[in-house]
Amino acid sequence: MESRTVTGDPRHLPALVAAFRARAEVHPGHLGEVHFSDDGASVRTVSRWRSSVDLRSFVERAHGDLLAYRAEAGRFPEVERTLWWSRSATAVTPEQAEARAVRLKAHGPGPGAFTLGSPVPAPARAGGA
């Protein structure tokens, strides 16, 4: 699972988020969006990915979208990403995603919340991300 919060200039954020969503929809490793919320200056998307390798591929491909945003807004947006392993049938609420982000900030990476830069191997029983 991935919880991604993008914070930036509300005049330019919708275009960036739309580009991210369109890119994710056609990425072969994207298994679907679970939650989406937008408060104007901050957008959170919770998505399922087949693997951290697929998510990393998505992030690398989205670099051009970030450069386009910077050209328009004058600076990069803030992107916070929290990852965790989950069975594909496991439901997740926005509150659970937020709790994992808080856990990551408070305690650093571990089995319950980690980042692409500090990955945690999938448990044998998890069956993918």
Side-chain angles (χ1 to χ4, degrees), residues 32-108:
E33 190 174 284
V34 179
H35 297 289
F36 180 83
S37 62
D38 180 351
D39 71 9
S42 185
V43 175
R44 170 174 276 166
T45 306
V46 179
S47 297
R48 294 187 189 281
W49 291 88
R50 188 173 319 283
S51 71
S52 59
V53 172
D54 287 319
L55 176 57
R56 182 172 300 282
S57 169
F58 165 80
V59 169
E60 290 169 356
R61 291 176 186 179
H63 184 70
D65 301 325
L66 290 168
L67 292 176
Y69 174 92
R70 183 183 70 177
E72 292 292 322
R75 65 185 184 109
F76 283 109
E78 180 180 328
V79 180
E80 293 182 19
R81 182 175 282 112
T82 304
L83 309 176
W84 65 95
W85 296 109
S86 173
R87 292 183 182 272
S88 61
T90 303
V92 61
T93 66
E95 295 79 17
Q96 290 167 326
E98 177 62 22
R100 289 182 186 271
V102 168
R103 178 187 311 166
L104 180 62
K105 286 179 186 176
H107 303 290

Side-chain angles (χ1 to χ4, degrees), residues 18-33:
F20 282 170
R21 289 177 94 186
R23 187 175 299 284
E25 287 175 4
V26 298
H27 194 287
H30 186 249
L31 300 176
E33 190 174 284

Side-chain angles (χ1 to χ4, degrees), residues 104-121:
L104 180 62
K105 286 179 186 176
H107 303 290
F114 55 93
T115 67
L116 283 173
S118 59
V120 171

